[in-house]
Amino acid sequence: MNRFAALCVVLSTGVSAQRQMSLADCELAFQENNLQLLAEQYSVSMADADILQAKIWELPQVSGYINAINPQDHRVFDAGRAKGAEITQLIYMGGKKKNEIAFAKSNKELSQLQFAQLLVDLRSQLRANFFDLYFEKLKLANTERQLGYLNDLLKSYKTQLKKGNVSLKDEVRLQSIVIQLGNDRVEISKEMAELEQGLKLLTGLSDDLDPEISDEEIKNMIAVQPFGDVSVLKRKALENNSDYLFYLKLIDNAKLFAQWQRSLNVPDLNIGAEYDQASGTFNNEINLKIAIPLPLWKVNKGNVQKADFAIRQNQLKAEYHKLDLETKVHAAYKTWESQYQQLLSIKSEDLENHDLVYEGMVKNFRNGNVSLIEFADFMDSYRQTALQIYDLKTELLLSAEQLNQLVQTKIFY
Protein backbone atom coordinates (compact mmCIF):
# COMPACT_ATOMS: atom_id res chain seq x y z
CA MET A 1 0.00 0.00 0.00
CA ASN A 2 1.48 3.40 -0.99
CA ARG A 3 1.61 6.38 1.37
CA PHE A 4 -1.38 8.10 -0.26
CA ALA A 5 -3.59 5.02 0.10
CA ALA A 6 -2.52 4.59 3.73
CA LEU A 7 -3.38 8.22 4.41
CA CYS A 8 -6.82 7.73 2.88
CA VAL A 9 -7.43 4.73 5.16
CA VAL A 10 -6.46 6.76 8.22
CA LEU A 11 -8.68 9.66 7.20
CA SER A 12 -11.65 7.39 6.43
CA THR A 13 -11.20 5.68 9.81
CA GLY A 14 -11.21 9.05 11.58
CA VAL A 15 -14.33 10.19 9.73
CA SER A 16 -16.23 6.95 10.42
CA ALA A 17 -15.50 7.29 14.14
CA GLN A 18 -17.69 10.40 14.20
CA ARG A 19 -21.39 9.79 14.65
CA GLN A 20 -23.77 12.27 13.05
CA MET A 21 -26.75 12.88 15.30
CA SER A 22 -29.73 15.19 15.23
CA LEU A 23 -31.04 16.88 18.35
CA ALA A 24 -33.85 14.32 18.54
CA ASP A 25 -31.30 11.48 18.33
CA CYS A 26 -29.30 12.97 21.19
CA GLU A 27 -32.39 13.45 23.35
CA LEU A 28 -33.44 9.84 22.77
CA ALA A 29 -29.97 8.53 23.71
CA PHE A 30 -30.04 10.82 26.76
CA GLN A 31 -33.34 9.37 28.01
CA GLU A 32 -32.16 5.80 27.49
CA ASN A 33 -28.54 6.00 28.69
CA ASN A 34 -27.98 8.92 31.05
CA LEU A 35 -26.60 7.44 34.25
CA GLN A 36 -27.70 10.33 36.48
CA LEU A 37 -31.31 9.88 35.36
CA LEU A 38 -31.15 6.11 35.75
CA ALA A 39 -29.69 6.48 39.25
CA GLU A 40 -32.22 9.12 40.33
CA GLN A 41 -35.12 6.87 39.32
CA TYR A 42 -34.18 4.68 42.27
CA SER A 43 -34.96 7.57 44.62
CA VAL A 44 -38.60 7.30 43.57
CA SER A 45 -38.45 3.52 43.99
CA MET A 46 -36.97 3.94 47.47
CA ALA A 47 -39.80 6.34 48.32
CA ASP A 48 -42.26 3.62 47.24
CA ALA A 49 -40.47 1.23 49.58
CA ASP A 50 -40.85 3.78 52.42
CA ILE A 51 -44.61 3.86 51.79
CA LEU A 52 -44.71 0.07 51.92
CA GLN A 53 -42.72 0.11 55.16
CA ALA A 54 -45.01 2.72 56.71
CA LYS A 55 -48.01 0.42 56.17
CA ILE A 56 -46.47 -2.46 58.13
CA TRP A 57 -47.65 -2.93 61.72
CA GLU A 58 -45.57 -4.14 64.63
CA LEU A 59 -45.37 -7.93 64.98
CA PRO A 60 -47.47 -9.55 67.70
CA GLN A 61 -45.48 -10.51 70.80
CA VAL A 62 -45.62 -14.09 72.13
CA SER A 63 -44.19 -15.05 75.51
CA GLY A 64 -44.50 -18.02 77.85
CA TYR A 65 -43.21 -19.54 81.06
CA ILE A 66 -42.67 -22.88 82.78
CA ASN A 67 -41.96 -23.60 86.39
CA ALA A 68 -38.25 -23.52 87.26
CA ILE A 69 -38.36 -24.65 90.95
CA ASN A 70 -41.30 -26.30 92.70
CA PRO A 71 -40.50 -25.74 96.42
CA GLN A 72 -43.55 -27.69 97.58
CA ASP A 73 -42.66 -30.95 95.85
CA HIS A 74 -38.94 -30.19 95.63
CA ARG A 75 -38.88 -30.48 91.87
CA VAL A 76 -37.27 -28.40 89.12
CA PHE A 77 -38.71 -27.57 85.72
CA ASP A 78 -42.10 -28.89 86.73
CA ALA A 79 -43.59 -27.98 83.33
CA GLY A 80 -46.36 -30.52 83.62
CA ARG A 81 -47.97 -28.71 86.57
CA ALA A 82 -47.04 -25.01 86.08
CA LYS A 83 -46.83 -23.23 82.74
CA GLY A 84 -48.44 -20.35 80.88
CA ALA A 85 -48.34 -18.29 77.66
CA GLU A 86 -49.56 -14.95 76.34
CA ILE A 87 -49.82 -13.10 73.05
CA THR A 88 -50.11 -9.31 72.68
CA GLN A 89 -50.48 -6.88 69.77
CA LEU A 90 -49.63 -3.18 69.69
CA ILE A 91 -52.60 -1.13 68.45
CA TYR A 92 -51.70 2.34 67.12
CA MET A 93 -53.93 5.11 68.40
CA GLY A 94 -54.44 8.72 67.29
CA GLY A 95 -54.07 7.99 63.57
CA LYS A 96 -50.31 7.34 63.79
CA LYS A 97 -50.21 4.87 60.91
CA LYS A 98 -52.41 7.02 58.70
CA ASN A 99 -50.20 10.06 59.32
CA GLU A 100 -46.99 8.09 58.79
CA ILE A 101 -48.27 6.75 55.45
CA ALA A 102 -49.39 10.22 54.35
CA PHE A 103 -45.92 11.59 55.19
CA ALA A 104 -44.25 8.78 53.23
CA LYS A 105 -46.47 9.50 50.21
CA SER A 106 -45.55 13.18 50.43
CA ASN A 107 -41.86 12.20 50.41
CA LYS A 108 -42.48 10.26 47.20
CA GLU A 109 -44.00 13.36 45.60
CA LEU A 110 -40.88 15.30 46.59
CA SER A 111 -38.70 12.62 44.99
CA GLN A 112 -40.76 12.81 41.80
CA LEU A 113 -40.36 16.59 41.66
CA GLN A 114 -36.60 16.26 42.20
CA PHE A 115 -36.43 13.74 39.37
CA ALA A 116 -38.49 16.01 37.10
CA GLN A 117 -36.16 18.95 37.83
CA LEU A 118 -33.08 16.84 37.18
CA LEU A 119 -34.59 15.72 33.88
CA VAL A 120 -35.23 19.34 32.87
CA ASP A 121 -31.76 20.51 33.92
CA LEU A 122 -29.91 17.70 32.16
CA ARG A 123 -32.00 17.97 28.99
CA SER A 124 -31.38 21.72 28.92
CA GLN A 125 -27.67 21.09 29.38
CA LEU A 126 -27.79 18.57 26.53
CA ARG A 127 -29.51 21.00 24.17
CA ALA A 128 -27.13 23.82 25.12
CA ASN A 129 -24.11 21.59 24.44
CA PHE A 130 -25.63 20.47 21.15
CA PHE A 131 -26.24 24.03 19.89
CA ASP A 132 -22.88 25.24 21.16
CA LEU A 133 -21.02 22.37 19.50
CA TYR A 134 -22.88 22.87 16.22
CA PHE A 135 -21.87 26.53 15.94
CA GLU A 136 -18.34 25.81 17.12
CA LYS A 137 -18.15 23.33 14.24
CA LEU A 138 -19.24 26.09 11.82
CA LYS A 139 -16.68 28.47 13.33
CA LEU A 140 -13.97 25.86 12.88
CA ALA A 141 -14.91 25.28 9.24
CA ASN A 142 -14.89 29.03 8.55
CA THR A 143 -11.55 29.48 10.30
CA GLU A 144 -9.95 26.57 8.46
CA ARG A 145 -11.20 27.94 5.15
CA GLN A 146 -9.41 31.23 5.85
CA LEU A 147 -6.34 29.41 7.11
CA GLY A 148 -6.16 27.25 4.00
CA TYR A 149 -6.01 30.27 1.72
CA LEU A 150 -3.68 32.33 3.91
CA ASN A 151 -1.24 29.45 4.47
CA ASP A 152 -0.92 29.07 0.70
CA LEU A 153 -0.49 32.81 0.39
CA LEU A 154 2.12 32.88 3.16
CA LYS A 155 4.02 30.04 1.53
CA SER A 156 4.08 32.04 -1.71
CA TYR A 157 5.25 35.16 0.13
CA LYS A 158 8.10 33.26 1.77
CA THR A 159 9.24 32.14 -1.67
CA GLN A 160 8.98 35.67 -3.02
CA LEU A 161 10.81 37.04 0.03
CA LYS A 162 13.80 34.86 -0.76
CA LYS A 163 13.78 36.27 -4.29
CA GLY A 164 13.53 39.81 -2.96
CA ASN A 165 10.17 40.49 -4.59
CA VAL A 166 8.30 41.29 -1.32
CA SER A 167 9.35 42.95 1.90
CA LEU A 168 9.90 41.19 5.22
CA LYS A 169 7.29 43.53 6.72
CA ASP A 170 4.62 42.15 4.37
CA GLU A 171 5.59 38.58 5.12
CA VAL A 172 5.44 39.24 8.89
CA ARG A 173 2.08 40.95 8.48
CA LEU A 174 0.66 37.85 6.80
CA GLN A 175 2.30 35.62 9.36
CA SER A 176 0.56 37.48 12.20
CA ILE A 177 -2.87 36.90 10.59
CA VAL A 178 -2.08 33.20 10.17
CA ILE A 179 -0.96 32.94 13.80
CA GLN A 180 -4.16 34.64 15.00
CA LEU A 181 -6.31 32.30 12.94
CA GLY A 182 -4.29 29.36 14.23
CA ASN A 183 -4.96 30.50 17.79
CA ASP A 184 -8.65 30.78 16.97
CA ARG A 185 -8.59 27.22 15.65
CA VAL A 186 -6.87 25.94 18.80
CA GLU A 187 -9.40 27.68 21.08
CA ILE A 188 -12.35 26.45 19.00
CA SER A 189 -10.99 22.89 18.97
CA LYS A 190 -10.47 23.02 22.73
CA GLU A 191 -14.03 24.22 23.25
CA MET A 192 -15.36 21.53 20.92
CA ALA A 193 -13.48 18.81 22.81
CA GLU A 194 -15.06 19.93 26.11
CA LEU A 195 -18.53 20.10 24.54
CA GLU A 196 -18.11 16.66 22.96
CA GLN A 197 -17.07 15.27 26.34
CA GLY A 198 -20.20 16.75 27.89
CA LEU A 199 -22.43 15.31 25.17
CA LYS A 200 -20.89 11.86 25.57
CA LEU A 201 -21.52 11.99 29.31
CA LEU A 202 -25.11 13.15 28.84
CA THR A 203 -26.00 10.67 26.08
CA GLY A 204 -23.98 7.74 27.41
CA LEU A 205 -22.39 7.26 23.98
CA SER A 206 -18.67 6.70 23.44
CA ASP A 207 -18.48 7.80 19.78
CA ASP A 208 -17.41 11.30 18.79
CA LEU A 209 -20.69 13.09 18.11
CA ASP A 210 -21.21 15.34 15.10
CA PRO A 211 -24.34 17.49 15.64
CA GLU A 212 -26.51 17.92 12.56
CA ILE A 213 -29.27 20.49 12.31
CA SER A 214 -30.84 22.17 9.29
CA ASP A 215 -30.91 25.91 8.64
CA GLU A 216 -34.70 25.74 8.70
CA GLU A 217 -34.66 24.24 12.19
CA ILE A 218 -32.30 26.98 13.37
CA LYS A 219 -34.61 29.64 11.94
CA ASN A 220 -37.61 28.12 13.72
CA MET A 221 -35.70 27.94 17.00
CA ILE A 222 -34.58 31.58 16.98
CA ALA A 223 -37.90 32.92 15.66
CA VAL A 224 -39.88 35.04 18.09
CA GLN A 225 -42.62 33.07 19.84
CA PRO A 226 -46.15 34.33 20.70
CA PHE A 227 -45.80 33.95 24.48
CA GLY A 228 -46.99 37.42 25.43
CA ASP A 229 -45.09 39.62 27.83
CA VAL A 230 -42.76 38.65 30.65
CA SER A 231 -45.62 38.47 33.19
CA VAL A 232 -47.05 35.52 31.24
CA LEU A 233 -43.69 33.77 31.46
CA LYS A 234 -43.51 34.37 35.21
CA ARG A 235 -46.99 32.93 35.70
CA LYS A 236 -46.17 29.86 33.62
CA ALA A 237 -42.91 29.38 35.56
CA LEU A 238 -44.74 29.47 38.92
CA GLU A 239 -47.21 26.90 37.60
CA ASN A 240 -44.69 24.49 36.08
CA ASN A 241 -41.18 24.92 37.50
CA SER A 242 -40.43 21.68 39.37
CA ASP A 243 -37.83 23.27 41.62
CA TYR A 244 -40.30 25.90 42.86
CA LEU A 245 -43.10 23.31 43.17
CA PHE A 246 -40.69 21.21 45.25
CA TYR A 247 -40.44 24.00 47.84
CA LEU A 248 -44.22 24.47 47.87
CA LYS A 249 -44.60 20.74 48.43
CA LEU A 250 -42.07 20.96 51.28
CA ILE A 251 -44.58 23.10 53.19
CA ASP A 252 -47.26 20.40 52.88
CA ASN A 253 -44.65 17.79 53.71
CA ALA A 254 -43.68 19.64 56.90
CA LYS A 255 -47.35 19.97 57.91
CA LEU A 256 -47.87 16.24 57.47
CA PHE A 257 -44.74 15.55 59.49
CA ALA A 258 -45.97 17.84 62.28
CA GLN A 259 -49.33 16.08 62.27
CA TRP A 260 -47.57 12.73 62.53
CA GLN A 261 -45.41 13.95 65.41
CA ARG A 262 -48.47 15.22 67.31
CA SER A 263 -50.16 11.86 66.92
CA LEU A 264 -47.13 10.19 68.51
CA ASN A 265 -48.11 11.89 71.78
CA VAL A 266 -51.27 9.76 71.88
CA PRO A 267 -50.63 6.57 73.94
CA ASP A 268 -50.83 3.30 72.06
CA LEU A 269 -52.81 0.30 73.23
CA ASN A 270 -51.41 -3.17 73.86
CA ILE A 271 -54.07 -5.85 73.78
CA GLY A 272 -53.67 -9.59 74.14
CA ALA A 273 -54.69 -12.91 75.68
CA GLU A 274 -53.01 -14.96 78.42
CA TYR A 275 -53.24 -18.65 79.36
CA ASP A 276 -52.23 -19.71 82.88
CA GLN A 277 -52.22 -23.34 84.01
CA ALA A 278 -52.16 -23.13 87.80
CA SER A 279 -50.78 -19.87 89.22
CA GLY A 280 -53.88 -17.77 88.71
CA THR A 281 -57.17 -17.59 90.49
CA PHE A 282 -58.44 -20.57 88.51
CA ASN A 283 -56.76 -23.51 86.95
CA ASN A 284 -56.28 -23.32 83.18
CA GLU A 285 -57.61 -19.80 83.11
CA ILE A 286 -57.61 -17.56 79.99
CA ASN A 287 -57.33 -13.82 80.60
CA LEU A 288 -57.73 -10.70 78.46
CA LYS A 289 -54.80 -8.29 78.78
CA ILE A 290 -54.91 -4.57 78.07
CA ALA A 291 -52.01 -2.13 78.62
CA ILE A 292 -51.73 1.59 77.87
CA PRO A 293 -49.07 4.14 78.98
CA LEU A 294 -50.21 6.82 81.41
CA PRO A 295 -50.21 10.17 79.53
CA LEU A 296 -48.57 12.10 82.37
CA TRP A 297 -46.57 14.26 79.93
CA LYS A 298 -46.15 14.68 76.18
CA VAL A 299 -43.35 12.32 75.23
CA ASN A 300 -42.87 13.90 71.77
CA LYS A 301 -43.15 17.57 72.64
CA GLY A 302 -39.71 18.52 71.31
CA ASN A 303 -40.24 16.88 67.94
CA VAL A 304 -43.61 18.63 67.58
CA GLN A 305 -41.98 22.01 68.16
CA LYS A 306 -39.23 21.14 65.69
CA ALA A 307 -41.84 20.19 63.07
CA ASP A 308 -43.69 23.49 63.60
CA PHE A 309 -40.46 25.43 63.07
CA ALA A 310 -39.86 23.41 59.88
CA ILE A 311 -43.24 24.59 58.53
CA ARG A 312 -42.31 28.25 59.04
CA GLN A 313 -38.84 27.67 57.60
CA ASN A 314 -40.21 26.03 54.45
CA GLN A 315 -42.77 28.81 53.99
CA LEU A 316 -39.94 31.36 53.94
CA LYS A 317 -37.89 29.17 51.59
CA ALA A 318 -40.85 28.96 49.20
CA GLU A 319 -41.23 32.75 49.23
CA TYR A 320 -37.52 33.14 48.50
CA HIS A 321 -37.60 30.67 45.61
CA LYS A 322 -40.69 32.35 44.18
CA LEU A 323 -38.87 35.68 44.12
CA ASP A 324 -35.73 34.01 42.81
CA LEU A 325 -37.62 32.30 39.98
CA GLU A 326 -39.46 35.48 38.96
CA THR A 327 -36.24 37.52 38.86
CA LYS A 328 -34.44 34.80 36.88
CA VAL A 329 -37.27 34.65 34.33
CA HIS A 330 -37.25 38.44 34.02
CA ALA A 331 -33.46 38.57 33.54
CA ALA A 332 -33.46 35.66 31.06
CA TYR A 333 -36.25 37.30 29.06
CA LYS A 334 -34.40 40.64 28.91
CA THR A 335 -31.22 38.87 27.80
CA TRP A 336 -33.07 36.92 25.11
CA GLU A 337 -34.90 40.05 23.93
CA SER A 338 -31.73 42.12 23.53
CA GLN A 339 -29.95 39.30 21.71
CA TYR A 340 -32.94 38.71 19.45
CA GLN A 341 -33.11 42.41 18.54
CA GLN A 342 -29.38 42.41 17.84
CA LEU A 343 -29.62 39.40 15.54
CA LEU A 344 -32.77 40.83 13.94
CA SER A 345 -30.83 43.96 13.00
CA ILE A 346 -28.44 41.82 10.94
CA LYS A 347 -30.26 41.08 7.71
CA SER A 348 -29.63 37.92 5.72
CA GLU A 349 -28.52 40.05 2.76
CA ASP A 350 -25.95 41.69 5.04
CA LEU A 351 -24.46 38.27 5.78
CA GLU A 352 -24.51 37.37 2.09
CA ASN A 353 -22.81 40.67 1.26
CA HIS A 354 -20.24 39.95 3.93
CA ASP A 355 -19.29 36.69 2.25
CA LEU A 356 -19.41 38.26 -1.21
CA VAL A 357 -17.00 40.99 -0.12
CA TYR A 358 -14.71 38.32 1.31
CA GLU A 359 -14.64 36.45 -2.00
CA GLY A 360 -14.12 39.75 -3.84
CA MET A 361 -11.26 40.81 -1.59
CA VAL A 362 -9.53 37.46 -2.04
CA LYS A 363 -9.92 37.65 -5.83
CA ASN A 364 -8.79 41.28 -6.06
CA PHE A 365 -5.79 40.64 -3.84
CA ARG A 366 -4.75 37.75 -6.04
CA ASN A 367 -5.03 40.05 -9.06
CA GLY A 368 -3.02 42.77 -7.34
CA ASN A 369 -5.91 45.24 -7.13
CA VAL A 370 -5.82 45.46 -3.33
CA SER A 371 -2.81 46.29 -1.17
CA LEU A 372 -1.61 43.93 1.54
CA ILE A 373 -2.48 46.46 4.25
CA GLU A 374 -6.08 46.75 3.02
CA PHE A 375 -6.32 42.98 2.65
CA ALA A 376 -4.88 42.31 6.12
CA ASP A 377 -7.21 44.84 7.76
CA PHE A 378 -10.21 43.31 6.01
CA MET A 379 -9.22 39.75 6.93
CA ASP A 380 -8.88 40.68 10.59
CA SER A 381 -12.27 42.41 10.52
CA TYR A 382 -13.87 39.50 8.66
CA ARG A 383 -12.42 36.99 11.12
CA GLN A 384 -13.84 38.84 14.14
CA THR A 385 -17.23 39.49 12.53
CA ALA A 386 -17.67 35.86 11.46
CA LEU A 387 -16.92 34.61 14.97
CA GLN A 388 -19.22 37.22 16.54
CA ILE A 389 -22.16 36.26 14.33
CA TYR A 390 -21.80 32.59 15.23
CA ASP A 391 -21.48 33.52 18.90
CA LEU A 392 -24.59 35.72 18.70
CA LYS A 393 -26.67 32.88 17.24
CA THR A 394 -25.33 30.50 19.88
CA GLU A 395 -26.07 32.89 22.74
CA LEU A 396 -29.59 33.53 21.44
CA LEU A 397 -30.36 29.81 21.36
CA LEU A 398 -28.85 29.36 24.83
CA SER A 399 -30.98 32.23 26.19
CA ALA A 400 -34.09 30.67 24.66
CA GLU A 401 -33.16 27.33 26.20
CA GLN A 402 -32.69 28.97 29.60
CA LEU A 403 -36.23 30.36 29.37
CA ASN A 404 -37.49 26.89 28.46
CA GLN A 405 -35.66 25.51 31.49
CA LEU A 406 -37.08 28.11 33.88
CA VAL A 407 -40.66 28.16 32.59
CA GLN A 408 -40.71 24.39 31.86
CA THR A 409 -43.24 24.94 29.15
CA LYS A 410 -41.97 24.60 25.60
CA ILE A 411 -41.77 28.22 24.47
CA PHE A 412 -38.94 27.81 21.96
CA TYR A 413 -38.60 24.74 19.77
Side-chain angles (χ1 to χ4, degrees):
M1 181 183 294
N2 58 37
R3 292 179 60 188
F4 178 75
L7 179 61
C8 288
V9 171
V10 172
L11 290 176
S12 64
T13 303
V15 171
S16 63
Q18 277 207 329
R19 183 172 178 179
Q20 290 188 345
M21 295 188 72
S22 67
L23 181 57
D25 293 334
C26 286
E27 289 186 333
L28 180 61
F30 159 74
Q31 291 178 355
E32 293 177 348
N33 304 323
N34 187 271
L35 295 177
Q36 283 181 274
L37 278 185
L38 295 175
E40 189 62 26
Q41 286 177 344
Y42 286 104
S43 295
V44 179
S45 299
M46 287 189 287
D48 278 326
D50 286 337
I51 296 174
L52 177 63
Q53 185 63 36
K55 294 179 179 179
I56 298 175
W57 283 54
E58 292 289 332
L59 293 171
Q61 297 286 327
V62 177
S63 61
Y65 75 90
I66 61 171
N67 171 260
I69 299 174
N70 181 345
Q72 180 178 337
D73 298 327
H74 305 290
R75 300 174 64 179
V76 295
F77 297 110
D78 193 3
R81 300 176 61 186
K83 56 182 177 286
E86 68 177 43
I87 181 171
T88 59
Q89 174 65 56
L90 179 66
I91 306 297
Y92 295 105
M93 307 296 288
K96 290 186 184 67
K97 268 298 166 186
K98 181 186 71 173
N99 294 332
E100 184 182 359
I101 293 169
F103 179 67
K105 288 181 177 178
S106 178
N107 283 339
K108 179 185 176 180
E109 292 174 352
L110 290 176
S111 296
Q112 289 172 326
L113 286 171
Q114 284 180 314
F115 178 79
Q117 185 61 41
L118 179 65
L119 177 62
V120 168
D121 291 343
L122 292 178
R123 178 180 283 130
S124 181
Q125 185 181 340
L126 172 83
R127 291 170 63 89
N129 276 27
F130 183 92
F131 298 141
D132 212 344
L133 182 57
Y134 174 76
F135 283 108
E136 289 296 320
K137 183 181 73 170
L138 295 183
K139 286 164 66 174
L140 182 62
N142 185 279
T143 300
E144 288 184 335
R145 178 169 67 101
Q146 296 177 62
L147 263 176
Y149 171 70
L150 287 173
N151 274 324
D152 290 341
L153 185 61
L154 180 61
K155 183 179 179 181
S156 175
Y157 261 68
K158 287 181 181 294
T159 301
Q160 295 299 317
L161 178 63
K162 292 178 181 179
K163 296 179 180 180
N165 295 331
V166 296
S167 67
L168 178 62
K169 181 181 70 173
D170 290 344
E171 190 267 344
V172 170
R173 177 69 170 165
L174 271 180
Q175 182 73 62
S176 66
I177 301 176
V178 170
I179 290 174
Q180 183 61 61
L181 284 168
N183 288 338
D184 288 344
R185 180 172 63 180
V186 169
E187 289 301 316
I188 294 170
S189 298
K190 179 182 176 182
E191 181 69 17
M192 288 179 66
E194 293 177 357
L195 291 168
E196 285 174 354
Q197 179 187 2
L199 273 180
K200 288 179 183 180
L201 194 62
L202 288 165
T203 59
L205 302 174
S206 58
D207 296 337
D208 289 336
L209 304 181
D210 182 17
E212 288 296 323
I213 188 168
S214 68
D215 292 339
E216 188 64 29
E217 287 177 297
I218 292 292
K219 288 180 182 178
N220 291 336
M221 288 176 181
I222 63 178
V224 65
Q225 303 295 321
F227 50 71
D229 59 19
V230 68
S231 63
V232 176
L233 294 180
K234 290 180 181 179
R235 177 177 57 79
K236 287 180 177 292
L238 294 176
E239 291 173 354
N240 300 293
N241 185 278
S242 297
D243 190 45
Y244 173 63
L245 295 178
F246 173 84
Y247 284 96
L248 285 183
K249 178 58 66 175
L250 270 181
I251 299 174
D252 294 335
N253 182 264
K255 290 179 179 178
L256 288 171
F257 182 73
Q259 185 176 338
W260 180 29
Q261 293 305 307
R262 289 190 184 94
S263 67
L264 292 178
N265 279 321
V266 179
D268 293 327
L269 182 68
N270 264 294
I271 188 168
E274 177 191 53
Y275 163 75
D276 189 281
Q277 183 183 26
S279 61
T281 305
F282 312 103
N283 290 331
N284 297 314
E285 67 181 6
I286 297 177
N287 301 318
L288 174 66
K289 297 191 68 173
I290 298 177
I292 188 170
L294 296 176
L296 300 179
W297 54 82
K298 293 182 178 180
V299 296
N300 210 38
K301 184 177 181 180
N303 286 333
V304 170
Q305 288 183 354
K306 182 178 177 180
D308 288 336
F309 291 141
I311 295 173
R312 299 174 201 172
Q313 182 187 54
N314 288 324
Q315 287 171 338
L316 292 174
K317 283 183 177 181
E319 285 297 315
Y320 168 79
H321 281 86
K322 178 183 178 182
L323 179 61
D324 183 54
L325 179 59
E326 288 177 330
T327 54
K328 282 181 178 177
V329 170
H330 187 83
Y333 173 78
K334 290 297 182 184
T335 300
W336 171 85
E337 187 179 41
S338 63
Q339 290 172 341
Y340 179 77
Q341 293 301 326
Q342 173 65 13
L343 188 61
L344 194 65
S345 67
I346 304 173
K347 306 298 182 183
S348 58
E349 55 266 26
D350 295 334
L351 299 178
E352 292 172 1
N353 292 339
H354 192 243
D355 289 334
L356 285 174
V357 172
Y358 170 79
E359 298 294 339
M361 284 294 291
V362 170
K363 182 178 180 181
N364 282 311
F365 183 70
R366 284 174 177 168
N367 296 333
N369 299 326
V370 175
S371 69
L372 178 62
I373 293 178
E374 290 178 298
F375 179 72
D377 287 343
F378 172 79
M379 289 299 292
D380 187 57
S381 174
Y382 177 83
R383 177 188 66 82
Q384 293 184 41
T385 302
L387 295 179
Q388 287 170 356
I389 290 172
Y390 286 130
D391 286 340
L392 181 58
K393 290 182 177 179
T394 303
E395 291 301 322
L396 181 60
L397 283 174
L398 296 185
S399 295
E401 188 55 41
Q402 186 182 14
L403 276 172
N404 279 343
Q405 181 184 8
L406 290 170
V407 177
Q408 293 185 21
T409 299
K410 209 161 191 180
I411 303 170
F412 298 94
Y413 297 91

